[in-house]
Amino acid sequence: MDAYDITIVGAGPAGLFATFYAGLRQMKVKLIDALEEVGGQVAVLYPEKYIYDVPGFRKILAKELVKSMVDQAFQFNPTVVLGERVLSIRKIDGGIFQLDTDKARSHYSKTVLVTAGVGAFSPNKLDAPGVAEYEGKGIFYFVKDKQIFKDKRLLIVGGGDSAVDWALNFNNWAKKVTLVHRRDVFRAHEGSVAELMKCGAEVKLFYEVKRVIGDGKWVKKAVIYDNRTKEETTIDVDSILVNIGFRADLGPIRNWGLEIRGREIKTNGRMETSIPGVYVAGDLAGQVDSVKLNLIATGYAQAAMAVNIAKNFIDPTAKIFPGHSSEMKL
């Protein structure tokens, strides 16, 4: 049995930083993620968007942040397992954890750090005739490549941060940006909404998509309607970007024997869960009597805390705080 010092479940920013920090502390590390690529939500949901609240960067493209974090995290040669979802965690002889996955494989570890973001997530689908037919043929729920929308007539559906941010992002990239939102109250950052209203994009409030029309190969038109008057308008479109929220599900995590509160794993200030040797960091962490901030910066701090506590757990002679990295000889 090849037991690792720590197995990190979830390869988003918190998991990548934990991978680096565990390597820095000379731990034998395994990183597992259900996706086929690292980066978590950052890589899947908004790789082409700028992030403004990462320490050390005035702004940075999400995909560039992931690239830099991978370079940092993999320098100590962790074992990386992608495309496997952990179904169960249980302790076996010797206090070792056995992690069984949906690929009928078992992984063994002395400690486990859960950095699985919000768990499994999927976009809310737009329910209108023609939408399912043209998904991937002009209708998108994610932006993986901005080039698809270059000089195109783009319709954006939604009123949250993603919809507003993409409208701003594509305003001088697409030929025309039209945003429709079913009401006049946005769920986006106030500053972004104010910028949207003066950026030149066409914003149609109280409008919804009634149906989508295409030529069999690609979407060509969208019928939108005013939900107050029911008046319909047909507009020419080259692409439709749907941002009407996501469903998050803890999935198998609920069956791991951890104490769950809502959609969070209960933890203390040491990032310890109800199972000794299992820790949590990032969006899934529900710290008792603590303000909840789902920020990448918060995940970094929690990941470092969890790794240091895990190091001391498997080796009580190791200090929880090893000193500053500038004092280390690598």
Side-chain angles (χ1 to χ4, degrees):
M1 181 194 305
D2 188 15
Y4 284 72
D5 291 326
I6 188 168
T7 295
I8 300 165
V9 182
L16 288 172
F17 188 70
T19 299
F20 155 72
Y21 205 91
L24 192 67
R25 293 226 60 182
Q26 300 184 325
M27 299 172 77
K28 187 178 181 181
V29 185
K30 178 174 282 186
L31 176 65
I32 303 176
D33 199 284
L35 299 175
E36 296 290 348
E37 61 180 316
V38 299
Q41 295 179 65
V42 174
V44 174
L45 298 185
Y46 49 91
E48 293 280 3
K49 288 173 67 174
Y50 281 107
I51 301 175
Y52 297 91
D53 55 3
V54 175
F57 297 96
R58 182 173 181 176
K59 67 177 182 178
I60 184 170
L61 275 176
K63 64 181 182 181
E64 293 300 326
L65 175 65
V66 170
K67 181 179 178 181
S68 294
M69 293 202 68
V70 167
D71 182 57
Q72 180 190 46
F74 291 2
Q75 64 182 295
F76 298 110
N77 300 313
T79 297
V80 181
V81 179
L82 299 177
E84 285 193 32
R85 185 181 302 279
V86 176
L87 299 180
S88 64
I89 296 177
R90 61 190 177 93
K91 265 195 174 181
I92 58 176
D93 293 343
I96 300 299
F97 290 98
Q98 178 176 317
L99 294 78
D100 295 323
T101 74
D102 61 350
K103 296 297 188 292
R105 294 182 60 194
S106 296
H107 304 271
Y108 301 94
S109 190
K110 298 174 185 176
T111 61
V112 177
L113 171 56
V114 185
T115 55
V118 294
F121 57 91
S122 58
N124 292 326
K125 297 299 183 76
L126 184 62
D127 184 16
V131 172
E133 178 184 354
Y134 288 100
E135 185 172 335
K137 301 175 183 178
I139 295 180
F140 304 94
Y141 292 90
F142 305 107
V143 177
K144 299 293 288 184
D145 183 2
K146 282 183 65 175
Q147 290 295 329
I148 294 175
F149 307 100
K150 181 67 173 175
D151 298 323
K152 303 297 184 181
R153 295 165 297 187
L154 174 62
L155 173 64
I156 298 177
V157 183
D161 282 310
S162 292
V164 173
D165 288 349
W166 279 126
L168 293 172
N169 192 297
F170 285 123
N171 187 47
N172 294 316
W173 182 264
K175 180 178 181 180
K176 181 181 180 181
V177 173
T178 302
L179 182 145
V180 296
H181 182 36
R182 60 188 176 86
R183 51 187 186 144
D184 62 349
V185 177
F186 288 86
R187 293 172 287 104
H189 192 282
E190 298 94 328
S192 298
V193 174
E195 187 178 354
L196 172 68
M197 292 305 185
K198 61 183 181 182
C199 75
E202 184 177 11
V203 179
K204 300 182 77 66
L205 303 178
F206 297 105
Y207 271 82
E208 300 180 47
V209 175
K210 186 165 186 177
R211 66 181 179 275
V212 170
I213 302 169
D215 61 2
K217 298 180 179 179
W218 200 263
V219 66
K220 295 297 181 182
K221 298 178 184 292
V223 179
I224 60 177
Y225 72 99
D226 187 319
N227 57 28
R228 300 163 300 181
T229 66
K230 309 305 178 184
E231 179 182 358
E232 297 182 10
T233 304
T234 301
I235 60 175
D236 295 322
V237 297
D238 298 304
S239 292
I240 300 175
L241 179 58
V242 182
N243 293 138
I244 53 176
F246 293 85
R247 297 185 301 276
D249 184 9
L250 292 181
I253 295 176
R254 291 192 180 278
N255 302 318
W256 291 359
L258 300 166
E259 187 173 349
I260 305 290
R261 298 190 310 176
R263 293 192 300 184
E264 298 173 347
I265 298 172
K266 185 178 178 181
T267 182
N268 56 22
R270 293 161 57 95
M271 311 317 299
E272 297 167 318
T273 69
S274 56
I275 300 177
V278 179
Y279 307 88
V280 61
D283 292 353
L284 270 183
Q287 287 183 275
V288 179
D289 298 325
S290 176
V291 174
K292 181 70 172 176
L293 290 176
N294 286 342
L295 297 174
I296 291 175
T298 305
Y300 290 163
Q302 293 173 340
M305 177 67 75
V307 167
N308 282 324
I309 299 299
K311 174 70 175 182
N312 177 258
F313 180 84
I314 62 176
D315 179 9
T317 67
K319 294 180 179 179
I320 290 178
F321 177 56
H324 300 100
S325 62
S326 57
E327 300 170 357
M328 296 180 182
K329 294 180 181 180
L330 300 178

